[in-house]
């Protein structure tokens, strides 16, 4: 075999191997597991792409979102409002005093990218992700068994809660008004 041909074949094989490695790595990046960290990254990527500040993860909103997803799976429902509870009930119970709050739910997605893409293609979910009034988010991810219409399947439920805390002065004012109302039994 001549040396030029051998070097050329080696170059082609090296390029093919590198391309294969790139494709495998790109595939991994484009198909990530559904985890709170991946959801946070993708939601904040969408926000920064549209010129908005990224949201910070708030422990109280994380608790609210995780509690809600656990409750949905335990009681076998998938809804913003069920069993006399709203998303705001979970948020308040987690001691997040909100000025603004919202919620995105998802179920039966295989990747974080697929889920966030579906949210971005839904006007109401997209509005939550791109709402400039929000400063915080919390993410609950629960894997388990869900049944619907007699069919039982493994699933992943996700709750992405959004919010902005009340300013301290407004919080103090609300407490003051509550005390007056208690005094006069309003």
């Amino acid at each position: 075999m001549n040396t030029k041909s051998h070097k050329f074949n080696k170059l082609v094989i090296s390029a093919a191997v590198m391309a294969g490695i790139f494709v495998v790595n790109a595939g991994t990046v484009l198909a990530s597991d559904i985890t709170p960290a991946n959801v946070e990254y993708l939601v904040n990527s969408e926000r920064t792409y549209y010129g908005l500040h990224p949201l910070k993860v708030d422990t109280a909103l994380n608790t609210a979102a995780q509690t809600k997803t656990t409750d949905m799976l335990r009681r076998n429902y998938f809804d913003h409002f069920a069993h006399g509870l709203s998303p705001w009930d979970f948020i308040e119970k987690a001691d997040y005093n909100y000025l603004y709050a919202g919620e995105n739910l998802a179920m039966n997605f295989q990747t974080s990218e697929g889920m966030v893409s579906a949210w971005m293609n839904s006007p109401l979910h997209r509005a939550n992700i791109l709402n400039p009034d929000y400063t915080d988010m919390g993410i609950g991810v629960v894997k388990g068994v869900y049944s619907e219409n007699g069919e039982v399947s493994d699933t992943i439920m996700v709750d992405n809660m959004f919010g902005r805390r009340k300013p301290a002065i407004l919080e103090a004012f609300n407490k003051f008004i509550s005390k007056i109302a208690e005094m006069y039994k309003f």
Side-chain angles (χ1 to χ4, degrees), residues 17-50:
V17 168
M18 291 303 288
I21 290 170
F22 175 74
V23 169
V24 168
N25 286 337
T28 302
V29 170
L30 296 176
S32 65
D33 290 336
I34 299 176
T35 66
N38 289 340
V39 174
E40 174 193 357
Y41 172 78
L42 292 167
V43 166
N44 278 332
S45 293
E46 292 292 345
R47 287 180 62 85
T48 55
Y49 178 80
Y50 287 97

Coordinates of all heavy atoms in Angstrom, one line a residue, residues 17-50:
V17 N -14.3 8.7 13.1 CA -14.4 8.4 14.5 C -14.8 9.7 15.3 O -15.6 9.7 16.1 CB -13.1 7.8 15.0 CG1 -13.0 7.8 16.6 CG2 -12.9 6.4 14.5
M18 N -14.1 10.8 14.9 CA -14.4 12.1 15.6 C -15.8 12.5 15.3 O -16.5 13.0 16.2 CB -13.4 13.2 15.1 CG -12.0 13.0 15.5 SD -11.9 12.9 17.3 CE -12.2 14.6 17.8
A19 N -16.3 12.3 14.1 CA -17.7 12.7 13.8 C -18.7 11.8 14.6 O -19.7 12.3 15.2 CB -18.0 12.5 12.3
G20 N -18.3 10.5 14.8 CA -19.1 9.6 15.6 C -19.2 10.1 17.0 O -20.2 10.1 17.7
I21 N -18.0 10.5 17.6 CA -18.0 10.9 18.9 C -18.8 12.2 19.1 O -19.5 12.4 20.0 CB -16.5 11.2 19.4 CG1 -15.8 9.9 19.5 CG2 -16.4 12.0 20.6 CD1 -14.3 10.0 19.7
F22 N -18.7 13.1 18.1 CA -19.5 14.4 18.2 C -21.0 14.1 18.2 O -21.7 14.6 18.9 CB -19.1 15.3 17.0 CG -20.0 16.5 16.9 CD1 -19.8 17.5 17.9 CD2 -21.0 16.6 16.0 CE1 -20.6 18.6 17.8 CE2 -21.8 17.7 16.0 CZ -21.6 18.8 16.9
V23 N -21.4 13.2 17.3 CA -22.8 12.8 17.2 C -23.3 12.2 18.5 O -24.3 12.5 19.0 CB -23.1 11.9 16.0 CG1 -24.5 11.3 16.1 CG2 -22.9 12.6 14.7
V24 N -22.5 11.3 19.1 CA -22.9 10.7 20.3 C -23.0 11.7 21.4 O -23.9 11.8 22.2 CB -21.9 9.6 20.7 CG1 -22.1 9.1 22.2 CG2 -22.0 8.4 19.8
N25 N -22.0 12.6 21.5 CA -22.0 13.7 22.5 C -23.2 14.6 22.3 O -23.8 15.0 23.2 CB -20.7 14.4 22.6 CG -19.6 13.6 23.2 OD1 -19.9 12.7 24.0 ND2 -18.4 13.9 22.9
A26 N -23.4 15.0 21.0 CA -24.5 15.9 20.7 C -25.8 15.3 21.1 O -26.7 15.9 21.6 CB -24.5 16.3 19.3
G27 N -26.0 13.9 20.8 CA -27.2 13.2 21.2 C -27.4 13.2 22.7 O -28.6 13.4 23.1
T28 N -26.4 13.1 23.4 CA -26.5 13.1 24.9 C -27.0 14.5 25.4 O -27.9 14.6 26.2 CB -25.2 12.8 25.5 OG1 -24.7 11.5 25.1 CG2 -25.3 12.8 27.0
V29 N -26.5 15.5 24.8 CA -26.9 16.9 25.2 C -28.3 17.2 24.8 O -29.0 17.8 25.5 CB -25.9 17.9 24.5 CG1 -26.4 19.3 24.7 CG2 -24.5 17.8 25.1
L30 N -28.8 16.6 23.7 CA -30.1 16.9 23.2 C -31.2 15.9 23.7 O -32.3 16.0 23.3 CB -30.1 16.9 21.6 CG -29.2 18.0 21.0 CD1 -29.2 17.8 19.5 CD2 -29.7 19.3 21.4
A31 N -30.8 15.0 24.6 CA -31.7 14.1 25.1 C -31.4 13.8 26.6 O -31.1 12.7 27.0 CB -31.7 12.8 24.3
S32 N -31.5 14.8 27.4 CA -31.2 14.7 28.8 C -32.3 14.1 29.6 O -33.5 14.3 29.3 CB -30.7 16.0 29.4 OG -31.8 16.9 29.4
D33 N -32.0 13.4 30.7 CA -33.0 12.9 31.7 C -33.8 14.1 32.2 O -33.3 15.2 32.3 CB -32.3 12.2 32.8 CG -31.6 10.9 32.4 OD1 -32.1 10.3 31.3 OD2 -30.7 10.4 33.0
I34 N -34.9 13.8 32.7 CA -35.8 14.8 33.3 C -35.3 14.9 34.8 O -35.6 14.0 35.6 CB -37.3 14.5 33.2 CG1 -37.6 14.5 31.7 CG2 -38.1 15.5 34.0 CD1 -39.1 14.1 31.4
T35 N -34.6 15.9 35.1 CA -34.1 16.2 36.5 C -34.4 17.7 36.7 O -34.5 18.5 35.8 CB -32.6 15.9 36.6 OG1 -31.9 16.9 35.8 CG2 -32.3 14.5 36.2
P36 N -34.5 18.1 38.0 CA -34.6 19.5 38.3 C -33.5 20.3 37.7 O -33.8 21.4 37.2 CB -34.6 19.5 39.9 CG -35.2 18.2 40.2 CD -34.6 17.2 39.2
A37 N -32.3 19.9 37.8 CA -31.2 20.7 37.2 C -31.3 20.9 35.7 O -31.1 22.0 35.2 CB -29.8 20.0 37.5
N38 N -31.8 19.9 35.0 CA -31.9 20.0 33.5 C -33.1 20.9 33.2 O -33.0 21.7 32.3 CB -32.1 18.6 32.9 CG -30.8 17.8 32.9 OD1 -29.7 18.3 33.0 ND2 -31.0 16.5 32.7
V39 N -34.2 20.8 34.0 CA -35.3 21.7 33.7 C -34.9 23.1 34.0 O -35.2 24.0 33.2 CB -36.5 21.3 34.6 CG1 -37.7 22.2 34.4 CG2 -37.0 19.8 34.2
E40 N -34.2 23.4 35.1 CA -33.8 24.7 35.4 C -32.9 25.3 34.3 O -33.1 26.4 33.9 CB -33.0 24.7 36.7 CG -32.3 26.0 37.1 CD -31.3 25.9 38.2 OE1 -31.0 24.8 38.7 OE2 -30.6 26.9 38.5
Y41 N -32.0 24.5 33.8 CA -31.1 25.0 32.8 C -31.9 25.3 31.5 O -31.6 26.4 30.9 CB -30.0 23.9 32.5 CG -29.2 24.2 31.3 CD1 -28.2 25.1 31.3 CD2 -29.5 23.6 30.0 CE1 -27.4 25.5 30.2 CE2 -28.7 24.0 28.9 CZ -27.7 24.9 29.0 OH -27.0 25.2 27.9
L42 N -32.8 24.5 31.1 CA -33.5 24.7 29.9 C -34.5 25.9 30.0 O -34.6 26.7 29.1 CB -34.2 23.4 29.4 CG -33.3 22.3 29.0 CD1 -34.1 21.0 28.9 CD2 -32.6 22.6 27.7
V43 N -35.2 26.0 31.1 CA -36.1 27.1 31.3 C -35.3 28.4 31.3 O -35.7 29.4 30.6 CB -36.9 26.9 32.6 CG1 -37.6 28.2 33.0 CG2 -38.0 25.8 32.4
N44 N -34.2 28.4 32.0 CA -33.4 29.7 32.0 C -32.8 29.9 30.7 O -32.6 31.1 30.3 CB -32.4 29.6 33.2 CG -33.0 30.0 34.5 OD1 -34.0 30.8 34.5 ND2 -32.5 29.5 35.6
S45 N -32.5 28.9 29.9 CA -31.9 29.1 28.6 C -33.0 29.8 27.7 O -32.7 30.7 26.9 CB -31.5 27.8 27.9 OG -30.4 27.2 28.6
E46 N -34.2 29.4 27.8 CA -35.3 30.0 27.1 C -35.5 31.5 27.5 O -35.6 32.4 26.6 CB -36.6 29.3 27.2 CG -36.7 27.9 26.6 CD -36.7 27.9 25.1 OE1 -36.9 29.0 24.5 OE2 -36.4 26.8 24.6
R47 N -35.4 31.7 28.8 CA -35.6 33.1 29.3 C -34.4 34.0 28.8 O -34.7 35.1 28.3 CB -35.7 33.1 30.8 CG -37.0 32.6 31.3 CD -37.0 32.6 32.9 NE -36.9 34.0 33.4 CZ -37.9 34.8 33.5 NH1 -39.1 34.4 33.2 NH2 -37.7 36.0 34.0
T48 N -33.2 33.5 28.9 CA -32.1 34.4 28.4 C -32.1 34.6 26.9 O -31.7 35.6 26.5 CB -30.7 33.8 28.9 OG1 -30.6 32.5 28.5 CG2 -30.6 33.9 30.4
Y49 N -32.5 33.6 26.2 CA -32.6 33.7 24.7 C -33.6 34.8 24.4 O -33.4 35.6 23.4 CB -33.1 32.4 24.1 CG -33.3 32.5 22.6 CD1 -32.2 32.3 21.8 CD2 -34.6 32.6 22.1 CE1 -32.4 32.4 20.4 CE2 -34.8 32.7 20.7 CZ -33.7 32.6 19.9 OH -33.8 32.7 18.5
Y50 N -34.6 35.0 25.2 CA -35.6 36.1 24.9 C -35.3 37.4 25.7 O -36.2 38.2 25.8 CB -37.0 35.6 25.2 CG -37.5 34.6 24.1 CD1 -37.4 33.2 24.3 CD2 -38.0 35.1 22.9 CE1 -37.8 32.4 23.3 CE2 -38.4 34.2 21.9 CZ -38.3 32.9 22.1 OH -38.7 32.0 21.1

